[in-house]
Coordinates of all heavy atoms in Angstrom, one line a residue:
M215 N -14.6 2.7 -5.2 CA -14.6 3.4 -3.9 C -13.3 3.0 -3.2 O -13.0 1.8 -3.1 CB -15.8 2.9 -3.1 CG -16.0 3.8 -1.9 SD -17.3 3.5 -0.8 CE -18.6 2.6 -1.4
P216 N -12.5 4.0 -2.9 CA -11.2 3.7 -2.2 C -11.4 2.9 -0.9 O -12.3 3.2 -0.1 CB -10.5 5.0 -1.9 CG -11.3 6.0 -2.7 CD -12.6 5.4 -3.0
G217 N -10.6 1.9 -0.7 CA -10.6 1.1 0.5 C -11.7 0.1 0.5 O -11.8 -0.7 1.4
A218 N -12.5 0.0 -0.5 CA -13.6 -1.0 -0.6 C -13.0 -2.3 -0.9 O -12.1 -2.4 -1.7 CB -14.6 -0.6 -1.6
R219 N -13.5 -3.4 -0.3 CA -12.9 -4.7 -0.5 C -13.8 -5.4 -1.6 O -15.0 -5.3 -1.6 CB -12.9 -5.5 0.7 CG -12.1 -4.9 1.8 CD -12.1 -5.8 3.0 NE -11.0 -6.7 2.9 CZ -10.8 -7.7 3.7 NH1 -11.6 -7.9 4.8 NH2 -9.8 -8.5 3.6
K220 N -13.1 -6.2 -2.4 CA -13.8 -6.9 -3.4 C -14.3 -8.2 -2.8 O -13.7 -8.8 -1.9 CB -12.8 -7.4 -4.6 CG -12.4 -6.2 -5.4 CD -11.5 -6.7 -6.5 CE -11.0 -5.6 -7.4 NZ -10.1 -6.1 -8.4
P221 N -15.5 -8.6 -3.2 CA -16.0 -9.9 -2.6 C -15.1 -11.1 -3.0 O -14.6 -11.1 -4.1 CB -17.4 -10.1 -3.2 CG -17.5 -9.0 -4.2 CD -16.4 -8.1 -4.1
Q222 N -14.8 -12.0 -2.1 CA -14.0 -13.1 -2.4 C -14.7 -14.1 -3.2 O -15.9 -14.3 -3.0 CB -13.5 -13.7 -1.1 CG -12.5 -12.9 -0.3 CD -11.9 -13.6 0.8 OE1 -12.2 -14.8 1.1 NE2 -11.0 -13.0 1.5
S223 N -14.0 -14.7 -4.1 CA -14.5 -15.7 -5.0 C -14.7 -17.0 -4.2 O -13.9 -17.3 -3.4 CB -13.6 -15.9 -6.2 OG -13.9 -17.0 -6.9
K224 N -15.7 -17.7 -4.5 CA -16.0 -19.0 -3.9 C -15.6 -20.1 -4.9 O -16.4 -21.0 -5.2 CB -17.5 -19.1 -3.6 CG -18.0 -18.1 -2.7 CD -17.8 -18.4 -1.3 CE -18.4 -17.4 -0.4 NZ -18.1 -17.6 1.0
R225 N -14.3 -20.1 -5.2 CA -13.8 -21.2 -6.1 C -13.6 -22.5 -5.4 O -13.3 -22.5 -4.3 CB -12.5 -20.7 -6.7 CG -12.6 -19.6 -7.7 CD -11.3 -19.4 -8.4 NE -11.4 -18.3 -9.3 CZ -10.4 -17.9 -10.0 NH1 -9.2 -18.4 -9.9 NH2 -10.6 -16.8 -10.8
A226 N -13.8 -23.5 -6.2 CA -13.5 -24.9 -5.6 C -12.0 -25.0 -5.6 O -11.3 -24.4 -6.3 CB -14.2 -25.9 -6.5
P227 N -11.5 -25.8 -4.7 CA -10.1 -26.1 -4.6 C -9.6 -26.6 -6.0 O -10.3 -27.3 -6.7 CB -9.9 -27.1 -3.5 CG -11.2 -27.4 -2.9 CD -12.3 -26.7 -3.7
A228 N -8.4 -26.2 -6.3 CA -7.8 -26.6 -7.6 C -7.5 -28.1 -7.6 O -7.1 -28.7 -6.6 CB -6.5 -25.9 -7.8
R229 N -7.9 -28.7 -8.7 CA -7.6 -30.2 -8.8 C -6.5 -30.3 -9.9 O -6.5 -29.6 -10.8 CB -8.8 -30.9 -9.3 CG -9.9 -31.1 -8.2 CD -10.9 -32.0 -8.6 NE -10.4 -33.2 -9.1 CZ -10.8 -34.4 -8.8 NH1 -11.8 -34.6 -8.0 NH2 -10.3 -35.5 -9.4
T230 N -5.8 -31.4 -9.8 CA -4.8 -31.7 -10.8 C -5.5 -32.2 -12.0 O -6.4 -33.1 -11.9 CB -3.8 -32.8 -10.2 OG1 -3.2 -32.3 -9.0 CG2 -2.7 -33.1 -11.3
L231 N -5.2 -31.7 -13.2 CA -5.8 -32.2 -14.4 C -5.5 -33.7 -14.6 O -4.4 -34.1 -14.2 CB -5.3 -31.4 -15.6 CG -5.6 -29.9 -15.7 CD1 -4.9 -29.3 -16.8 CD2 -7.1 -29.8 -15.8
S232 N -6.4 -34.4 -15.1 CA -6.3 -35.9 -15.2 C -5.0 -36.3 -16.0 O -4.4 -37.3 -15.7 CB -7.5 -36.5 -15.8 OG -7.7 -36.1 -17.1
V233 N -4.6 -35.5 -17.0 CA -3.5 -35.9 -17.8 C -2.2 -35.8 -17.0 O -1.2 -36.4 -17.4 CB -3.3 -35.0 -19.0 CG1 -4.5 -35.3 -20.0 CG2 -3.2 -33.6 -18.7
Y234 N -2.2 -35.2 -15.8 CA -1.0 -35.1 -15.0 C -1.1 -36.1 -13.8 O -0.2 -36.1 -12.9 CB -0.8 -33.7 -14.4 CG -0.6 -32.7 -15.5 CD1 -1.6 -31.7 -15.8 CD2 0.5 -32.8 -16.4 CE1 -1.4 -30.8 -16.8 CE2 0.6 -31.8 -17.4 CZ -0.3 -30.9 -17.6 OH -0.2 -30.0 -18.6
R235 N -2.1 -36.9 -13.7 CA -2.3 -37.8 -12.6 C -1.7 -39.2 -13.0 O -1.6 -39.6 -14.1 CB -3.7 -38.0 -12.3 CG -4.3 -36.7 -11.7 CD -5.8 -36.7 -11.5 NE -6.2 -37.9 -10.7 CZ -7.5 -38.1 -10.3 NH1 -8.4 -37.2 -10.7 NH2 -7.8 -39.1 -9.6
D236 N -1.2 -39.9 -11.9 CA -0.7 -41.2 -12.1 C -1.7 -42.2 -12.7 O -1.3 -43.1 -13.5 CB -0.2 -41.8 -10.8 CG 1.0 -41.1 -10.2 OD1 1.7 -40.4 -11.0 OD2 1.2 -41.2 -9.0
E237 N -2.9 -42.0 -12.4 CA -4.0 -42.9 -13.0 C -4.0 -42.8 -14.5 O -4.2 -43.7 -15.2 CB -5.4 -42.6 -12.4 CG -5.5 -42.9 -11.0 CD -5.2 -41.7 -10.1 OE1 -4.4 -40.8 -10.5 OE2 -5.8 -41.6 -9.0
Y238 N -3.9 -41.6 -15.0 CA -3.9 -41.3 -16.5 C -2.7 -42.0 -17.1 O -2.8 -42.7 -18.2 CB -3.9 -39.9 -16.8 CG -4.1 -39.6 -18.3 CD1 -5.3 -39.7 -18.9 CD2 -3.0 -39.3 -19.1 CE1 -5.5 -39.5 -20.3 CE2 -3.1 -39.1 -20.5 CZ -4.4 -39.2 -21.1 OH -4.5 -39.1 -22.4
R239 N -1.5 -41.8 -16.5 CA -0.3 -42.5 -17.0 C -0.5 -44.0 -17.0 O -0.1 -44.7 -18.0 CB 0.9 -42.1 -16.1 CG 2.2 -42.8 -16.6 CD 3.4 -42.3 -15.8 NE 3.6 -40.9 -15.9 CZ 4.1 -40.3 -17.0 NH1 4.5 -40.9 -18.0 NH2 4.3 -39.0 -17.0
S240 N -1.1 -44.6 -16.0 CA -1.4 -46.0 -16.0 C -2.3 -46.4 -17.1 O -2.1 -47.5 -17.7 CB -2.0 -46.4 -14.6 OG -1.0 -46.3 -13.6
M241 N -3.3 -45.6 -17.4 CA -4.2 -45.9 -18.5 C -3.5 -45.9 -19.8 O -3.7 -46.9 -20.6 CB -5.4 -44.9 -18.5 CG -6.4 -45.1 -19.6 SD -7.6 -43.9 -19.7 CE -6.8 -42.7 -20.8
I242 N -2.6 -45.0 -20.0 CA -1.9 -44.9 -21.3 C -0.9 -46.1 -21.4 O -0.8 -46.7 -22.5 CB -1.2 -43.6 -21.5 CG1 -2.3 -42.4 -21.6 CG2 -0.3 -43.6 -22.7 CD1 -3.3 -42.6 -22.6
E243 N -0.3 -46.4 -20.3 CA 0.7 -47.6 -20.3 C -0.1 -48.9 -20.6 O 0.4 -49.7 -21.4 CB 1.4 -47.7 -19.0 CG 2.4 -46.6 -18.8 CD 3.0 -46.6 -17.3 OE1 2.5 -47.3 -16.5 OE2 3.9 -45.7 -17.1
L244 N -1.3 -49.0 -20.0 CA -2.1 -50.2 -20.3 C -2.5 -50.2 -21.8 O -2.5 -51.3 -22.4 CB -3.3 -50.3 -19.4 CG -4.2 -51.4 -19.6 CD1 -3.5 -52.8 -19.4 CD2 -5.4 -51.3 -18.6
L245 N -2.9 -49.1 -22.3 CA -3.3 -49.0 -23.7 C -2.2 -49.5 -24.6 O -2.4 -50.3 -25.5 CB -3.8 -47.6 -24.0 CG -4.6 -47.3 -25.2 CD1 -5.9 -48.1 -25.2 CD2 -4.9 -45.9 -25.3
K246 N -1.0 -49.0 -24.3 CA 0.1 -49.4 -25.2 C 0.4 -50.9 -25.0 O 0.7 -51.6 -26.0 CB 1.4 -48.6 -24.8 CG 2.6 -48.9 -25.6 CD 3.7 -48.0 -25.3 CE 4.9 -48.4 -26.2 NZ 6.1 -47.5 -25.9
E247 N 0.4 -51.4 -23.8 CA 0.6 -52.8 -23.6 C -0.4 -53.7 -24.3 O 0.0 -54.7 -24.9 CB 0.5 -53.2 -22.1 CG 1.7 -52.7 -21.2 CD 1.4 -52.9 -19.7 OE1 0.6 -53.8 -19.4 OE2 2.1 -52.2 -19.0
I248 N -1.6 -53.3 -24.3 CA -2.7 -54.0 -25.0 C -2.4 -54.0 -26.5 O -2.6 -55.0 -27.3 CB -4.1 -53.6 -24.7 CG1 -4.4 -53.9 -23.2 CG2 -5.1 -54.1 -25.6 CD1 -5.7 -53.4 -22.7
R249 N -2.0 -52.8 -27.0 CA -1.6 -52.7 -28.5 C -0.5 -53.7 -28.8 O -0.6 -54.5 -29.8 CB -1.2 -51.3 -28.9 CG -0.7 -51.2 -30.3 CD -0.2 -49.9 -30.7 NE 0.9 -49.4 -30.0 CZ 2.2 -49.7 -30.3 NH1 2.5 -50.7 -31.2 NH2 3.2 -49.2 -29.6
L250 N 0.5 -53.8 -28.0 CA 1.6 -54.7 -28.2 C 1.2 -56.1 -28.1 O 1.6 -57.0 -28.9 CB 2.8 -54.4 -27.3 CG 3.4 -53.0 -27.5 CD1 4.4 -52.7 -26.4 CD2 4.1 -52.9 -28.8
E251 N 0.3 -56.4 -27.1 CA -0.2 -57.8 -27.0 C -1.0 -58.2 -28.2 O -1.0 -59.4 -28.6 CB -1.1 -57.9 -25.7 CG -0.5 -57.8 -24.4 CD -1.4 -57.7 -23.2 OE1 -2.7 -57.8 -23.5 OE2 -1.0 -57.4 -22.1
S252 N -1.6 -57.3 -28.8 CA -2.4 -57.6 -30.0 C -1.6 -57.7 -31.3 O -2.1 -58.1 -32.3 CB -3.5 -56.5 -30.2 OG -2.9 -55.3 -30.6
G253 N -0.3 -57.4 -31.1 CA 0.7 -57.6 -32.2 C 0.6 -56.5 -33.3 O 1.0 -56.6 -34.4
L254 N 0.0 -55.4 -32.9 CA -0.1 -54.3 -33.8 C 0.9 -53.2 -33.6 O 1.3 -52.9 -32.5 CB -1.5 -53.6 -33.6 CG -2.7 -54.5 -34.0 CD1 -4.0 -53.8 -33.5 CD2 -2.8 -54.7 -35.5
K255 N 1.4 -52.7 -34.7 CA 2.3 -51.5 -34.7 C 1.4 -50.2 -34.7 O 0.2 -50.3 -35.1 CB 3.2 -51.5 -36.0 CG 4.1 -52.7 -36.1 CD 4.9 -52.6 -37.3 CE 5.7 -53.8 -37.5 NZ 6.4 -53.8 -38.8
Q256 N 2.0 -49.1 -34.4 CA 1.3 -47.9 -34.4 C 0.7 -47.6 -35.8 O -0.4 -47.1 -36.0 CB 2.2 -46.7 -34.0 CG 2.5 -46.7 -32.5 CD 3.4 -45.5 -32.1 OE1 3.9 -44.8 -32.9 NE2 3.5 -45.4 -30.8
E257 N 1.5 -48.0 -36.8 CA 1.1 -47.7 -38.2 C -0.2 -48.6 -38.5 O -1.1 -48.1 -39.2 CB 2.2 -48.1 -39.2 CG 3.4 -47.2 -39.1 CD 4.4 -47.6 -38.0 OE1 4.2 -48.6 -37.3 OE2 5.4 -46.9 -37.9
D258 N -0.2 -49.8 -38.0 CA -1.4 -50.6 -38.2 C -2.7 -50.0 -37.6 O -3.7 -50.0 -38.2 CB -1.2 -52.0 -37.6 CG 0.0 -52.7 -38.1 OD1 0.4 -52.5 -39.3 OD2 0.7 -53.5 -37.4
V259 N -2.5 -49.6 -36.4 CA -3.6 -48.9 -35.7 C -4.1 -47.7 -36.4 O -5.3 -47.5 -36.7 CB -3.2 -48.6 -34.2 CG1 -4.4 -47.8 -33.5 CG2 -2.8 -49.8 -33.5
A260 N -3.2 -46.9 -36.8 CA -3.5 -45.7 -37.5 C -4.2 -46.0 -38.8 O -5.2 -45.3 -39.1 CB -2.2 -44.9 -37.8
A261 N -3.8 -47.0 -39.5 CA -4.5 -47.3 -40.8 C -5.9 -47.8 -40.5 O -6.8 -47.4 -41.3 CB -3.7 -48.5 -41.5
K262 N -6.1 -48.6 -39.5 CA -7.5 -49.0 -39.2 C -8.4 -47.9 -38.7 O -9.6 -47.9 -38.9 CB -7.4 -50.1 -38.1 CG -6.9 -51.4 -38.6 CD -6.9 -52.5 -37.6 CE -6.3 -53.8 -38.2 NZ -6.6 -55.0 -37.5
L263 N -7.8 -46.9 -38.0 CA -8.6 -45.7 -37.6 C -8.7 -44.6 -38.6 O -9.4 -43.6 -38.4 CB -8.0 -45.2 -36.3 CG -8.0 -46.0 -35.1 CD1 -7.3 -45.4 -33.9 CD2 -9.5 -46.3 -34.7
E264 N -7.9 -44.8 -39.7 CA -7.8 -43.8 -40.8 C -7.3 -42.5 -40.3 O -7.9 -41.4 -40.6 CB -9.2 -43.7 -41.5 CG -9.6 -45.0 -42.2 CD -11.0 -44.8 -42.9 OE1 -11.7 -43.8 -42.7 OE2 -11.3 -45.8 -43.6
V265 N -6.3 -42.6 -39.5 CA -5.6 -41.4 -39.0 C -4.1 -41.6 -39.3 O -3.6 -42.6 -39.7 CB -5.8 -41.2 -37.5 CG1 -7.3 -40.9 -37.2 CG2 -5.3 -42.4 -36.7
Q266 N -3.3 -40.5 -39.0 CA -1.9 -40.6 -39.2 C -1.2 -41.4 -38.0 O -1.8 -41.4 -36.9 CB -1.2 -39.3 -39.3 CG -1.8 -38.6 -40.6 CD -0.8 -37.5 -41.1 OE1 0.3 -37.3 -40.6 NE2 -1.3 -36.8 -42.1
Q267 N -0.1 -42.0 -38.2 CA 0.6 -42.7 -37.1 C 0.9 -41.8 -36.0 O 0.9 -42.3 -34.8 CB 1.9 -43.3 -37.7 CG 2.8 -44.0 -36.7 CD 3.8 -43.1 -36.1 OE1 4.2 -42.1 -36.7 NE2 4.2 -43.4 -34.9
T268 N 1.1 -40.5 -36.2 CA 1.5 -39.6 -35.1 C 0.3 -39.5 -34.1 O 0.5 -39.2 -33.0 CB 1.9 -38.2 -35.7 OG1 0.8 -37.7 -36.5 CG2 3.1 -38.3 -36.5
F269 N -0.9 -39.7 -34.6 CA -2.1 -39.7 -33.7 C -1.9 -40.7 -32.6 O -2.0 -40.4 -31.4 CB -3.4 -40.0 -34.5 CG -4.6 -40.1 -33.6 CD1 -5.3 -39.0 -33.3 CD2 -5.0 -41.4 -33.2 CE1 -6.5 -39.2 -32.5 CE2 -6.2 -41.6 -32.5 CZ -6.9 -40.4 -32.1
V270 N -1.5 -41.9 -32.9 CA -1.3 -43.0 -32.0 C -0.1 -42.7 -31.1 O -0.1 -42.8 -29.9 CB -1.2 -44.4 -32.7 CG1 -0.9 -45.5 -31.7 CG2 -2.4 -44.6 -33.5
S271 N 1.0 -42.3 -31.8 CA 2.2 -42.0 -31.1 C 2.0 -40.9 -30.0 O 2.5 -41.0 -28.9 CB 3.3 -41.5 -32.1 OG 4.5 -41.1 -31.4
K272 N 1.4 -39.8 -30.4 CA 1.2 -38.7 -29.4 C 0.3 -39.2 -28.2 O 0.5 -38.7 -27.1 CB 0.5 -37.5 -30.1 CG 1.5 -36.8 -31.0 CD 0.9 -35.6 -31.7 CE 2.0 -34.9 -32.5 NZ 1.5 -33.7 -33.1
I273 N -0.6 -40.1 -28.4 CA -1.4 -40.6 -27.3 C -0.5 -41.4 -26.4 O -0.5 -41.2 -25.2 CB -2.6 -41.5 -27.8 CG1 -3.7 -40.6 -28.4 CG2 -3.1 -42.3 -26.6 CD1 -4.8 -41.4 -29.1
E274 N 0.4 -42.2 -27.0 CA 1.2 -43.1 -26.2 C 2.3 -42.4 -25.5 O 2.8 -42.9 -24.4 CB 1.8 -44.2 -27.1 CG 0.7 -45.2 -27.5 CD 1.2 -46.4 -28.2 OE1 2.5 -46.5 -28.5 OE2 0.4 -47.3 -28.6
I275 N 2.8 -41.2 -26.0 CA 3.8 -40.5 -25.3 C 3.2 -39.3 -24.5 O 3.9 -38.5 -23.9 CB 4.9 -39.9 -26.2 CG1 4.3 -39.0 -27.2 CG2 5.7 -41.1 -26.8 CD1 5.4 -38.3 -28.1
M276 N 1.8 -39.3 -24.4 CA 1.1 -38.4 -23.6 C 1.2 -37.0 -24.1 O 1.1 -36.0 -23.3 CB 1.4 -38.6 -22.1 CG 1.0 -39.9 -21.6 SD 1.4 -40.3 -19.9 CE 0.7 -38.9 -19.0
D277 N 1.4 -36.8 -25.4 CA 1.4 -35.4 -26.0 C 0.0 -35.1 -26.4 O -0.3 -33.9 -26.7 CB 2.3 -35.4 -27.2 CG 3.7 -35.0 -26.9 OD1 4.0 -34.8 -25.7 OD2 4.5 -35.0 -27.8
R278 N -0.9 -36.1 -26.5 CA -2.3 -35.8 -26.9 C -3.2 -36.6 -25.9 O -3.0 -37.8 -25.6 CB -2.5 -36.4 -28.3 CG -3.9 -36.1 -28.8 CD -4.1 -36.8 -30.2 NE -5.3 -36.3 -30.8 CZ -6.5 -36.7 -30.3 NH1 -6.6 -37.4 -29.3 NH2 -7.6 -36.2 -30.9
R279 N -4.2 -35.9 -25.5 CA -5.2 -36.6 -24.5 C -6.1 -37.4 -25.3 O -6.6 -37.0 -26.4 CB -5.9 -35.5 -23.8 CG -6.8 -36.1 -22.7 CD -7.4 -35.0 -21.9 NE -8.3 -35.6 -20.9 CZ -8.9 -35.0 -20.0 NH1 -8.6 -33.7 -19.8 NH2 -9.6 -35.6 -19.1
V280 N -6.5 -38.6 -24.8 CA -7.4 -39.5 -25.4 C -8.8 -39.3 -24.7 O -8.8 -39.3 -23.5 CB -6.9 -40.9 -25.4 CG1 -6.7 -41.5 -24.1 CG2 -7.8 -41.8 -26.2
D281 N -9.8 -39.1 -25.5 CA -11.2 -39.1 -24.9 C -11.8 -40.4 -24.9 O -11.3 -41.4 -25.4 CB -12.0 -38.0 -25.5 CG -12.5 -38.3 -26.9 OD1 -12.6 -39.5 -27.3 OD2 -12.7 -37.3 -27.7
L282 N -13.0 -40.5 -24.3 CA -13.7 -41.8 -24.1 C -14.0 -42.5 -25.4 O -13.8 -43.7 -25.6 CB -14.9 -41.6 -23.3 CG -15.7 -42.9 -22.9 CD1 -14.8 -43.9 -22.2 CD2 -16.9 -42.6 -22.2
I283 N -14.5 -41.7 -26.4 CA -14.8 -42.3 -27.7 C -13.6 -42.8 -28.4 O -13.6 -43.9 -29.0 CB -15.6 -41.2 -28.6 CG1 -16.8 -40.7 -27.8 CG2 -15.9 -41.8 -29.9 CD1 -17.8 -41.8 -27.4
E284 N -12.5 -42.0 -28.3 CA -11.2 -42.5 -28.9 C -10.7 -43.8 -28.2 O -10.2 -44.7 -28.9 CB -10.2 -41.4 -28.9 CG -10.5 -40.2 -29.8 CD -9.7 -39.0 -29.5 OE1 -9.1 -38.9 -28.4 OE2 -9.6 -38.1 -30.4
L285 N -10.9 -43.8 -26.9 CA -10.5 -45.0 -26.2 C -11.3 -46.2 -26.6 O -10.7 -47.3 -26.8 CB -10.6 -44.7 -24.7 CG -10.3 -45.9 -23.7 CD1 -8.8 -46.3 -23.9 CD2 -10.6 -45.5 -22.3
R286 N -12.6 -46.0 -26.8 CA -13.4 -47.1 -27.3 C -13.0 -47.6 -28.7 O -12.9 -48.8 -28.9 CB -14.9 -46.6 -27.3 CG -15.9 -47.6 -27.7 CD -17.3 -47.0 -27.6 NE -18.3 -47.9 -28.1 CZ -18.8 -47.8 -29.3 NH1 -18.5 -46.8 -30.1 NH2 -19.7 -48.7 -29.7
D287 N -12.7 -46.6 -29.5 CA -12.2 -47.0 -30.9 C -10.9 -47.8 -30.8 O -10.7 -48.8 -31.5 CB -12.0 -45.7 -31.7 CG -13.3 -45.0 -32.1 OD1 -14.4 -45.6 -31.9 OD2 -13.2 -43.8 -32.5
L288 N -9.9 -47.3 -30.0 CA -8.7 -48.0 -29.9 C -8.9 -49.4 -29.3 O -8.3 -50.4 -29.8 CB -7.7 -47.2 -28.9 CG -7.2 -45.9 -29.6 CD1 -6.6 -45.0 -28.5 CD2 -6.1 -46.2 -30.6
C289 N -9.7 -49.5 -28.3 CA -10.0 -50.9 -27.8 C -10.6 -51.8 -28.8 O -10.2 -53.0 -28.9 CB -10.9 -50.8 -26.6 SG -10.1 -50.1 -25.1
A290 N -11.5 -51.3 -29.6 CA -12.1 -52.1 -30.7 C -11.0 -52.6 -31.7 O -11.0 -53.7 -32.1 CB -13.1 -51.3 -31.4
V291 N -10.1 -51.7 -32.1 CA -9.0 -52.1 -33.0 C -8.1 -53.1 -32.3 O -7.7 -54.1 -33.0 CB -8.1 -50.8 -33.4 CG1 -6.9 -51.2 -34.1 CG2 -9.0 -49.9 -34.2
Y292 N -7.9 -53.0 -31.0 CA -7.1 -54.0 -30.3 C -7.8 -55.3 -30.0 O -7.2 -56.2 -29.5 CB -6.5 -53.4 -29.0 CG -5.7 -52.1 -29.2 CD1 -5.5 -51.2 -28.1 CD2 -5.1 -51.8 -30.4 CE1 -4.8 -50.1 -28.3 CE2 -4.4 -50.7 -30.6 CZ -4.2 -49.8 -29.5 OH -3.5 -48.6 -29.7
G293 N -9.1 -55.3 -30.2 CA -9.9 -56.5 -30.0 C -10.2 -56.7 -28.5 O -10.4 -57.9 -28.1
V294 N -10.2 -55.6 -27.8 CA -10.5 -55.7 -26.3 C -11.8 -54.8 -26.1 O -11.7 -53.6 -26.4 CB -9.3 -55.2 -25.5 CG1 -9.7 -55.1 -24.0 CG2 -8.1 -56.1 -25.8
P295 N -12.8 -55.4 -25.5 CA -14.0 -54.6 -25.2 C -13.6 -53.5 -24.2 O -12.8 -53.7 -23.3 CB -15.0 -55.6 -24.6 CG -14.5 -57.0 -25.0 CD -13.0 -56.9 -25.2
L296 N -14.3 -52.4 -24.3 CA -14.0 -51.3 -23.4 C -14.2 -51.7 -22.0 O -13.4 -51.3 -21.1 CB -14.9 -50.1 -23.8 CG -14.7 -48.8 -23.0 CD1 -13.3 -48.3 -23.0 CD2 -15.7 -47.7 -23.4
A297 N -15.2 -52.4 -21.7 CA -15.5 -52.9 -20.3 C -14.3 -53.7 -19.8 O -13.9 -53.5 -18.6 CB -16.8 -53.7 -20.2
E298 N -13.7 -54.5 -20.6 CA -12.5 -55.3 -20.2 C -11.3 -54.4 -19.9 O -10.6 -54.6 -18.9 CB -12.2 -56.4 -21.2 CG -11.0 -57.2 -20.8 CD -10.6 -58.2 -21.9 OE1 -11.5 -58.7 -22.6 OE2 -9.4 -58.5 -22.0
F299 N -11.2 -53.4 -20.8 CA -10.1 -52.5 -20.6 C -10.2 -51.8 -19.2 O -9.3 -51.7 -18.4 CB -10.0 -51.4 -21.7 CG -9.0 -50.4 -21.5 CD1 -7.7 -50.6 -21.9 CD2 -9.2 -49.2 -20.9 CE1 -6.7 -49.7 -21.7 CE2 -8.3 -48.2 -20.7 CZ -7.0 -48.5 -21.1
V300 N -11.4 -51.3 -18.9 CA -11.7 -50.6 -17.7 C -11.4 -51.5 -16.5 O -10.8 -51.1 -15.5 CB -13.1 -50.0 -17.6 CG1 -13.5 -49.5 -16.3 CG2 -13.3 -48.9 -18.7
T301 N -11.9 -52.8 -16.6 CA -11.6 -53.8 -15.5 C -10.1 -53.9 -15.3 O -9.7 -53.9 -14.1 CB -12.3 -55.1 -15.8 OG1 -13.7 -54.9 -16.0 CG2 -12.0 -56.1 -14.8
R302 N -9.4 -54.1 -16.4 CA -7.9 -54.2 -16.2 C -7.3 -53.0 -15.6 O -6.4 -53.1 -14.8 CB -7.3 -54.6 -17.6 CG -7.6 -56.0 -18.1 CD -7.1 -56.3 -19.4 NE -5.6 -56.3 -19.5 CZ -4.9 -56.7 -20.6 NH1 -5.6 -57.1 -21.7 NH2 -3.6 -56.6 -20.6
L303 N -7.8 -51.8 -16.0 CA -7.2 -50.6 -15.5 C -7.5 -50.5 -14.0 O -6.6 -50.2 -13.2 CB -7.8 -49.4 -16.2 CG -7.4 -48.0 -15.7 CD1 -5.8 -47.9 -15.8 CD2 -8.1 -46.9 -16.5
E304 N -8.8 -50.8 -13.6 CA -9.1 -50.7 -12.2 C -8.3 -51.7 -11.4 O -7.8 -51.4 -10.3 CB -10.6 -51.1 -12.0 CG -11.5 -49.9 -12.4 CD -11.3 -48.7 -11.6 OE1 -11.1 -48.7 -10.4 OE2 -11.4 -47.6 -12.2
T305 N -8.0 -52.9 -11.9 CA -7.2 -53.9 -11.2 C -5.8 -53.3 -11.0 O -5.2 -53.4 -10.0 CB -7.1 -55.2 -12.0 OG1 -8.5 -55.7 -12.1 CG2 -6.2 -56.2 -11.3
R306 N -5.3 -52.7 -12.1 CA -3.9 -52.1 -12.0 C -3.8 -51.0 -11.0 O -2.9 -50.9 -10.3 CB -3.6 -51.6 -13.4 CG -2.2 -50.9 -13.5 CD -1.9 -50.5 -14.9 NE -1.6 -51.7 -15.6 CZ -0.7 -51.7 -16.6 NH1 -0.1 -50.7 -17.0 NH2 -0.5 -52.9 -17.2
L307 N -4.9 -50.2 -11.0 CA -4.9 -49.0 -10.1 C -5.0 -49.4 -8.6 O -4.5 -48.7 -7.7 CB -6.0 -48.1 -10.4 CG -5.9 -47.4 -11.8 CD1 -7.1 -46.5 -12.0 CD2 -4.6 -46.6 -11.9
K308 N -5.5 -50.6 -8.3 CA -5.6 -51.1 -6.9 C -4.3 -51.7 -6.4 O -4.2 -51.9 -5.2 CB -6.7 -52.1 -6.9 CG -8.1 -51.6 -7.0 CD -9.2 -52.6 -7.0 CE -10.5 -52.0 -7.3 NZ -11.6 -53.0 -7.4
T309 N -3.4 -52.0 -7.3 CA -2.1 -52.6 -6.8 C -1.1 -51.6 -6.5 O -1.2 -50.4 -6.8 CB -1.6 -53.6 -7.9 OG1 -1.3 -52.9 -9.1 CG2 -2.5 -54.7 -8.1

């Protein structure tokens, strides 16, 4: 019908995707620091996870998003319980 108005959408305000937030960057930086503290190279981590080295590299350069299960796996390889990782991240985010 000419001149009829479309109903307005009730969308929620746009949020920044987590991968673009400072908190995500801090999480990835901490993950890399813990890997280095553990004395592991990307190749070592990849071998333990049975993935290619580029999997680890892409996470660390933020070309690939890491999910919670992958984060748990990475923490296990680094010898750091997931709960400890989260505590360290929260401490970092508060500063």
